[in-house]
Amino acid sequence: MVEAWHRPTEAIIDLSAIKENIKLEKGLLKKPQQLFAVVKANAYGHGLIPVAFAAQAAGADGFCVAVIDEGLALRRAGITKPILILGVNPAATAPLLAANSLAVAVDSLEFLKQAAVSLHAQQLRLAVHLALDTGMSRIGFKTTDDLAAAVDFLRTHTKEFDFQGIFTHFATADAAEADYYQQQLKKFKQLLTVVDPLPTYVHVANSAASLWHQACGGNMVRFGVSMYGLNPSGHVRKLPAAFKPALSLVSELAAVREIQTGESVGYGKTYTAQQTEWIGTVPLGYADGWLRRMQGSKVLINGHSCEIVGRVCMDQIMVRLPQRLPVGTKVTLIGKDGQQQITAQQVADYAQTIHYEILCGISERVPRKYLD
């Protein structure tokens, strides 16, 4: 998608906030725990490469991504630290992964058997992290028998594989109750009984587990959404106040017009003025990730909370202004305006979703501007 640099809408990313969040997290870790920065999905919408370099400068020991191409992009940019692909991939990709020093999640003996053939033929060695399914029902080995068979295969094929890590993922580490989390942790420990010796990395903690279940163990933390200053639990648990959001989303008034009683705004005539009003047009819409359901939500303009009226268009929204304001007046959709603030969590609450989706949904058409 083309980035719209000649338009006032932009996402402003405070890299210093990301660095400080990492340093805060590292201060909570127990030695010798390492921190891998999770930069998948364009660093949760913040920008893959700039965030990766900021994380590296702040002391991240490695990186986690979701797909191979994200890992390749980091390598092309010059990142040399360990990179783990969290998603499973076809065995045919094994030589590409190995050639670029990308570790990969594995959840089947079949992958290992098929990958071994091409790796042996090309004299390549692939780093793998065995995924364990302890309750997410997404990827991973579920039984000790299946896991033991995979471990045995890795032990007898050391020329083709570097058995680098083993991990699981918690489904409810951010929840108020801990019963299911405890079930998963117990299952993980049971599965580990057939792995001796353990590989270099044993990791179970995401952002939520690292903050609220520090006793879960492991020697590596996958630091995700909290690196960006956001609470993985939404409203359920309290995020330490020192963590700071890194992203703001801003624009400007592109047009201002007065409408009379009875005049309507936007597609479908979903808003009709009950009195004379000033309406401002903002150059941002659902093609930029500002969802159609955001009609009726608020933005900040000149210290005022202004409602989005009429349907969100593909490229524009219309807002009701408190008075006539000049074209070019700043509009804040996420972030601070004087003493007021709109958080990604508030946007998500209105959209009846989670802030992950809001930030990941900010499209590539919106330029990212970096502060440090």
Side-chain angles (χ1 to χ4, degrees):
M1 181 177 284
V2 173
E3 290 179 286
W5 287 103
H6 295 87
R7 183 182 67 163
T9 301
E10 60 186 10
I12 301 173
I13 316 300
D14 184 354
L15 295 176
S16 63
I18 290 173
K19 292 178 182 179
E20 287 303 313
N21 293 336
I22 290 173
K23 291 175 183 177
L24 284 167
E25 176 70 7
K26 286 179 74 72
L28 299 174
L29 301 184
K30 297 179 180 180
K31 293 183 179 180
Q33 282 184 313
Q34 296 189 33
L35 182 149
F36 274 40
V38 183
V39 291
K40 62 181 180 175
N42 197 30
Y44 292 49
H46 292 67
L48 174 64
I49 303 304
V51 167
F53 277 107
Q56 182 170 261
D61 301 292
F63 297 92
C64 294
V65 294
V67 298
I68 294 173
D69 296 275
E70 293 169 336
L72 292 174
L74 290 177
R75 289 288 184 242
R76 286 194 297 268
I79 295 291
T80 59
K81 287 184 179 291
I83 297 172
L84 169 61
I85 313 296
L86 291 170
V88 294
N89 291 276
T93 62
L96 175 65
L97 289 160
N100 289 277
S101 299
L102 300 174
V104 68
V106 171
D107 78 339
S108 73
L109 180 59
E110 289 72 21
F111 174 94
L112 297 174
K113 289 180 176 179
Q114 293 174 28
V117 176
S118 57
L119 291 169
H120 182 79
Q122 299 183 45
Q123 296 184 328
L124 293 168
R125 193 165 186 246
L126 176 64
V128 301
H129 290 229
L130 295 183
L132 307 186
D133 181 5
T134 59
M136 275 284 286
S137 298
R138 189 166 63 177
I139 64 170
F141 294 92
K142 294 187 70 171
T143 69
T144 52
D145 288 345
D146 288 344
L147 177 59
V151 171
D152 288 344
F153 189 87
L154 290 172
R155 302 292 191 207
T156 57
H157 291 79
T158 55
K159 289 185 178 180
E160 294 80 21
F161 297 104
D162 172 13
F163 180 21
Q164 191 178 85
I166 193 163
F167 73 102
T168 195
H169 191 66
F170 293 124
T172 60
D174 57 350
E177 63 83 28
D179 290 348
Y180 196 68
Y181 155 78
Q182 292 292 349
Q183 290 179 35
Q184 284 196 261
L185 184 58
K186 182 179 179 181
K187 179 69 178 294
F188 182 71
K189 291 178 177 179
Q190 288 174 341
L191 289 168
L192 285 189
T193 60
V194 300
V195 185
D196 185 22
L198 292 170
T200 302
Y201 298 109
V202 178
H203 48 111
V204 294
N206 53 10
S207 290
S210 72
L211 290 170
W212 302 307
H213 301 285
Q214 294 180 354
C216 66
N219 60 11
M220 187 257 274
V221 167
R222 305 183 301 269
F223 193 45
V225 75
S226 294
M227 181 170 75
Y228 308 99
L230 299 173
N231 188 337
S233 76
H235 299 289
V236 178
R237 289 176 175 266
K238 189 173 182 179
L239 184 72
F243 286 89
K244 301 298 182 186
L247 181 143
S248 300
L249 181 63
V250 299
S251 189
E252 295 178 0
L253 293 177
V256 175
R257 66 197 59 248
E258 186 180 48
I259 64 172
Q260 306 302 316
T261 303
E263 290 191 283
S264 297
V265 176
Y267 289 113
K269 196 183 176 184
T270 60
Y271 177 82
T272 300
Q274 302 301 306
Q275 58 188 5
T276 300
E277 296 176 346
W278 287 99
I279 301 295
T281 300
V282 183
L284 163 139
Y286 59 76
D288 303 291
W290 208 248
L291 305 171
R292 210 163 175 261
R293 70 188 76 135
M294 295 307 296
Q295 177 178 347
S297 67
K298 304 295 178 60
V299 301
L300 298 177
I301 306 176
N302 264 16
H304 297 279
S305 182
C306 300
E307 182 181 350
I308 297 175
V309 295
R311 286 182 177 154
V312 173
C313 308
M314 183 181 291
D315 313 299
Q316 299 171 97
I317 57 174
M318 288 71 76
V319 297
R320 186 174 59 239
L321 304 175
Q323 69 233 14
R324 183 175 187 173
L325 293 174
V327 168
T329 300
K330 181 181 176 181
V331 177
T332 300
L333 299 103
I334 299 174
K336 292 183 177 180
D337 177 8
Q339 298 300 310
Q340 295 198 71
Q341 181 178 17
I342 296 176
T343 66
Q345 182 64 57
Q346 289 170 322
V347 175
D349 290 344
Y350 188 88
Q352 298 184 334
T353 184
I354 54 176
H355 51 58
Y356 298 76
E357 184 178 19
I358 296 300
L359 297 183
C360 290
I362 299 174
S363 78
E364 293 181 8
R365 189 166 75 171
V366 178
R368 271 63 170 176
K369 176 181 178 181
Y370 294 94
L371 307 177
D372 194 359

